[in-house]
Amino acid sequence: MSWLTLALMTTSSVASLRAAPTMAVYGLACVFLYLLPAVVFLLPTAMVSAELASGWEGGVYRWVSEGLSKPLGFLAVWCQFAMTIFYYPSLLAYVASTIAYVVNPALASNGLYTAIVIMVLYWAGVWVSSRGTKAVAGLSSMGLVIGTLIPGTLLVVLGMVFLGQGNQSAAPMNASHLLPQWTGLASLVLIVNNFLSYSGMEMNAVHVSSLRHPAKEFPRAMFTASGMVLAIFILPALAISWVVPSAELSLTAGVMQAFDAFFQYFHIGWLTPVIAVALVSASLGGMLTWLAGPSKGLLLISRQEGYLPPFLQQLNKEGVQQNLLVTQGVVTTVIALAYALIPNVSSAYWIFSVITTQVYLIVYLLMFAAAIRLRRTQPDHPRGYHAPALVPIAVTGLVASAAAMAIGFVPSSQFGSGSVWSYVLIVGGGLVVLGLLIPYLFLRLRKPEWRSPEAQAELAAQEAAELGAAGADGPRNDGGAA
């Protein structure tokens, strides 16, 4: 594999237009709010995960199990799965708002409509995934081009032409607005969402061994991918801020708000449904591809170690973990109803995005801690790639992740006039229950018979071999003593 191929793969798995409205409310300051987490989180994640992937196969479960402990390894893989429970409602809320701009733009702020679309599309995705189809793979592979590069480029070009014709930007574009206005921690709280925007770099680290010269080519691929990701995130966010005032910007429908404003200005409104279809198809393709991914990883580990009860480990005739997907879907449905109950759709979207980030940050806290310990306890373990200054880099990522988790408890202006304590309780409750309490109960209540029959047979054979070896050693040792 060439380093450029790896760079493009990484870009396609990380970059998206969905987060652009979140940062567009900050105008020119979004550049700083994207660059800061890129330096303290994006690059540390890429470098650390590359060393771990080149030395230990099996993903984050293996890394954390080897570096810390198996229960913490389960916690890491559980959080990778659990974050999707809140991730899919927020993703599908974006899809619902995009569809609304084709049907009726007023629906974009309708909570009941958003909840219905989330439930219908999610369960349709579960049905498709349970059939074991591979038809969605092509749709997802084209997602970077169809739903990101083409719309993103068009958005930026239209924005530049709009400004070039002498129109005033909706957000100030002068040097005094390079940094966000400091009004307390709330002025930086949107940066938390950027940590989740950059998540996924660790997934492509598994390909480090496929490079011809990993030590030189992997950093080159990561720096290239980081530059492309930053461009995809920053430039469309700026374009949105040029045409949509921050007070009117919706976190779910901001991309379509900008396209609609540009298309109306240039008298090409017929392109609105075309762009909407492109954005929706890319998002749905990504959802279908990832829907079974984290749950499959959790299933494989649970069948080996018995972390989940047999009911959740059952497979359908297509070999898909249908019971686990359905159980996840029930919880997702309950969460989707919150969009109908919370008056402001943007508030609901932001809350679920923060909970998603909080749960996923647990994975990174464990990964950075495991990397530091493995470098110290197993310095001679074969690695295809040695990250330079791994310990300082990992400490930077660890501190940044912890800081992002703390800042996540501060409500942003998008939360509206709701109670601060209500926000803290919702976010904290989601983090504790989903990220800590549920995996603790699984570990506490698990039984040996929860392992799959194959795993039980393998364990029994291993124990028998160990007993046989011990029995064979006994007589020889006695004879030697005699």
Side-chain angles (χ1 to χ4, degrees):
M1 176 186 296
S2 69
W3 66 269
L4 184 57
T5 300
L6 180 58
L8 293 174
M9 287 176 58
T10 303
T11 302
S12 65
S13 65
V14 175
S16 170
L17 294 181
R18 190 171 67 92
T22 306
M23 287 296 108
V25 298
Y26 274 75
L28 189 59
C30 75
V31 177
F32 168 80
L33 294 174
Y34 270 123
L35 286 176
L36 180 60
V39 172
V40 301
F41 180 76
L42 176 65
L43 290 179
T45 297
M47 308 304 280
V48 168
S49 60
E51 174 164 324
L52 294 175
S54 67
W56 294 269
E57 295 182 359
V60 69
Y61 174 78
R62 174 79 185 283
W63 304 342
V64 178
S65 296
E66 290 279 349
L68 301 176
S69 68
K70 279 192 173 183
L72 290 178
F74 170 68
L75 175 61
V77 77
W78 165 265
C79 287
Q80 273 192 329
F81 163 75
M83 62 81 70
T84 64
I85 295 176
F86 286 95
Y87 171 73
Y88 289 122
S90 62
L91 171 67
L92 293 176
Y94 162 75
V95 171
S97 296
T98 303
I99 295 174
Y101 266 83
V102 178
V103 182
N104 180 5
L107 290 173
S109 58
N110 187 302
L112 180 60
Y113 158 79
T114 303
I116 292 173
V117 172
I118 290 172
M119 289 186 284
V120 170
L121 292 181
Y122 181 83
W123 283 108
V126 170
W127 181 81
V128 172
S129 296
S130 67
R131 308 255 107 39
T133 180
K134 297 180 181 179
V136 298
L139 178 60
S140 178
S141 64
M142 292 297 292
L144 178 64
V145 176
I146 296 176
T148 302
L149 291 182
I150 293 177
T153 301
L154 180 61
L155 193 62
V156 174
V157 170
L158 290 175
M160 295 177 69
V161 174
F162 176 79
L163 294 181
Q165 292 182 349
N167 292 288
Q168 186 69 30
S169 170
M173 290 288 128
N174 50 53
S176 62
H177 291 84
L178 279 172
L179 297 178
Q181 292 184 351
W182 180 255
T183 58
L185 286 176
S187 63
L188 288 177
V189 72
L190 284 179
I191 200 172
V192 173
N193 203 50
N194 287 350
F195 280 74
L196 183 63
S197 297
Y198 289 136
S199 63
M201 295 292 283
E202 77 280 0
M203 291 184 296
N204 289 295
V206 298
H207 300 295
V208 66
S209 59
S210 300
L211 297 172
R212 297 181 183 88
H213 306 289
K216 294 181 179 180
E217 294 182 341
F218 187 82
R220 188 184 305 168
M222 289 302 102
F223 278 113
T224 301
S226 299
M228 294 178 66
V229 167
L230 283 171
I232 292 171
F233 280 148
I234 292 174
L235 296 180
L238 285 175
I240 293 173
S241 72
W242 294 338
V243 71
V244 183
S246 60
E248 302 174 9
L249 190 61
S250 165
L251 295 190
T252 56
V255 175
M256 288 307 301
Q257 280 181 309
F259 272 119
D260 189 55
F262 283 135
F263 290 162
Q264 294 302 323
Y265 175 80
F266 290 107
H267 306 291
I268 49 174
W270 58 270
L271 275 177
T272 299
V274 177
I275 288 294
V277 169
L279 295 173
V280 167
S281 63
S283 296
L284 292 180
M287 186 200 77
L288 289 172
T289 301
W290 287 103
L291 185 61
S295 60
K296 185 175 183 180
L298 177 63
L299 175 78
L300 293 175
I301 298 303
S302 298
R303 289 175 68 86
Q304 294 172 8
E305 303 292 342
Y307 289 129
L308 296 180
F311 171 78
L312 294 178
Q313 297 184 31
Q314 291 179 5
L315 306 176
N316 64 10
K317 62 181 182 179
E318 303 290 344
V320 176
Q321 57 280 13
Q322 183 170 304
N323 288 2
L324 191 56
L325 290 176
V326 170
T327 303
Q328 180 184 9
V330 171
V331 180
T332 301
T333 299
V334 173
I335 295 172
L337 292 174
Y339 278 91
L341 300 176
I342 298 177
N344 189 327
V345 171
S346 286
S347 293
Y349 175 85
W350 174 249
I351 289 172
F352 294 140
S353 295
V354 171
I355 293 176
T356 299
T357 305
Q358 298 288 70
V359 173
Y360 206 17
L361 282 172
I362 294 176
V363 178
Y364 290 105
L365 289 171
L366 294 172
M367 185 188 79
F368 288 127
I372 294 170
R373 193 164 187 272
L374 284 170
R375 177 63 78 92
R376 291 176 176 174
T377 59
Q378 301 185 38
D380 299 325
H381 183 87
R383 296 165 170 84
Y385 171 77
H386 280 74
L390 179 130
V391 173
I393 290 175
V395 169
T396 300
L398 189 68
V399 172
S401 299
M405 183 174 285
I407 294 174
F409 286 99
V410 181
S412 75
S413 59
Q414 294 294 334
F415 182 59
S417 58
S419 167
V420 173
W421 288 110
S422 297
Y423 179 89
V424 171
L425 287 175
I426 293 172
V427 173
L431 173 63
V432 172
V433 173
L434 193 65
L436 298 174
L437 181 59
I438 294 178
Y440 170 78
L441 291 176
F442 278 131
L443 288 170
R444 183 78 175 177
L445 300 176
R446 71 171 176 154
K447 301 175 182 178
E449 57 267 27
W450 284 8
R451 290 187 175 94
S452 67
E454 296 82 1
Q456 293 184 41
E458 183 178 345
L459 181 63
Q462 183 179 352
E463 291 176 348
E466 291 175 353
L467 288 174
D473 288 342
R476 288 198 299 270
N477 292 337
D478 291 343

